Amino acid sequence: MSELRFVHLGFGGEAVEYLEAWRRQREVHAARFADEIPDTCLLLEHQPVYTAGRRTEDSERPLDGTPVVDVDRGGKITWHGPGQLVGYPILKLPRPVDVVAHVRRLEEALIRTCAEFGLATTRVEGRSGVWVLGDPGKPGKPGKETVPGGLELDFDPALHDDEYDPRLRGPQYAPSNAGQRGDDRKLAAIGIRVAKGVTMHGFALNCDSDNTGYDRIVPCGIRDAGVTSLSQELGRPVTVAEVLPVVEKHLRAVLESTEPLPRAV
């Protein structure tokens, strides 16, 4: 892959409104398709917003009617806002495009970023993004009951009840409190689109975000896990400004050193 160019669109007080960033993405996408520019990654913070991918269900949207921007990426609904580093790598891939391999490269760069800050993260089978695994034996974890002899029975409604909605069960069940419950929690979300062999959309890495923004929705359509941030996991403030150069370093290392191959047919 050719050298990756980074473009900073706005952070902090200059955080970018979502529709403006989407417009910029389309401009860069068209230029990359025409080979007018090299592979380019837009980096920014967003003003607070909910965005919904094509597979989002009505039951996963905010209960209070908060507006949602429907977008053309994969995945489901998520939140963007201050304290979250968003990256939109706009890359030309060989055809036929291997979307899964592209997602895995982004995950790898983010996993390396977290490791540099001292946090071990991983992938979860069947779920894109970067995760911190929970502790299923944590005392007080809901849905667990221990019977005589030490046998643990799992009555977790998030796993067994299609009608389960954590938003109706109080703040202790909210996605932002997943760490206290010992649940798996997503640190970075990934949702992409590939058009004309060129990628759009990308990743959102929670640095020092207020994750209560996720509590109005079912993030990524996942009801049995939650969300977290680098600051929350490490117990100290980890800002977007601190994370930005580390993400750039690992994106460059992974995307420039890993030659994307066509999907096997």
Side-chain angles (χ1 to χ4, degrees), residues 8-259:
H8 296 176
L9 291 189
F11 302 93
E14 298 180 352
V16 184
E17 192 270 332
Y18 186 83
L19 292 178
E20 171 61 18
W22 196 6
R23 183 189 67 79
R24 289 290 301 275
Q25 276 196 76
R26 293 193 294 269
E27 289 180 351
V28 175
H29 182 277
R32 183 65 191 98
F33 174 70
D35 288 325
E36 297 171 354
I37 60 172
D39 289 332
T40 299
C41 182
L42 308 178
L43 293 165
L44 63 145
E45 279 179 274
H46 275 306
Q47 298 171 14
V49 65
Y50 293 105
T51 69
R54 294 184 298 263
R55 298 190 298 110
T56 302
E57 300 178 13
D58 290 342
S59 63
E60 296 160 352
R61 295 170 180 264
L63 291 173
D64 60 3
T66 300
V68 175
V69 178
D70 289 283
V71 296
D72 57 355
R73 60 166 170 79
K76 294 197 172 189
I77 191 168
T78 193
W79 171 87
H80 297 304
Q84 181 189 78
L85 176 57
V86 175
Y88 296 131
I90 300 175
L91 317 174
K92 180 171 283 191
L93 301 180
R95 301 191 191 192
V97 170
D98 191 334
V99 176
V100 173
H102 174 59
V103 170
R104 294 293 171 265
R105 284 190 290 269
L106 297 182
E107 290 171 343
E108 179 63 24
L110 297 175
I111 287 170
R112 293 184 189 184
T113 296
C114 296
E116 185 158 331
F117 284 93
L119 179 62
T121 57
T122 189
R123 299 176 176 90
V124 172
E125 185 176 356
R127 293 178 169 178
S128 66
V130 174
W131 292 80
V132 177
L133 295 182
D135 177 7
K138 185 172 182 178
K141 181 171 170 57
K144 299 284 186 180
E145 179 177 328
T146 302
V147 299
L151 178 64
E152 189 178 70
L153 303 179
D154 187 351
F155 295 110
D156 190 346
L159 298 175
H160 306 297
D161 183 356
D162 291 338
E163 301 298 322
Y164 175 80
D165 192 333
R167 297 169 296 177
L168 303 178
R169 303 196 64 194
Q172 67 270 31
Y173 292 93
S176 61
N177 286 327
Q180 298 178 29
R181 296 193 302 272
D183 288 345
D184 292 351
R185 45 213 183 266
K186 182 179 280 191
L187 180 65
I190 295 177
I192 67 167
R193 178 187 179 215
V194 181
K196 301 179 180 178
V198 179
T199 65
M200 288 183 66
H201 303 286
F203 65 86
L205 174 62
N206 295 330
C207 300
D208 59 347
S209 49
D210 177 2
N211 289 336
T212 58
Y214 291 99
D215 294 346
R216 292 182 177 182
I217 61 173
V218 180
C220 302
I222 298 173
R223 299 176 185 271
D224 63 327
V227 294
T228 191
S229 67
L230 285 168
S231 296
Q232 190 171 345
E233 295 298 325
L234 295 172
R236 69 172 181 86
V238 182
T239 66
V240 168
E242 187 179 355
V243 175
L244 181 61
V246 183
V247 163
E248 288 188 357
K249 178 179 72 174
H250 290 295
L251 280 172
R252 189 181 300 282
V254 171
L255 295 177
E256 290 185 1
S257 66
T258 306
E259 185 67 25

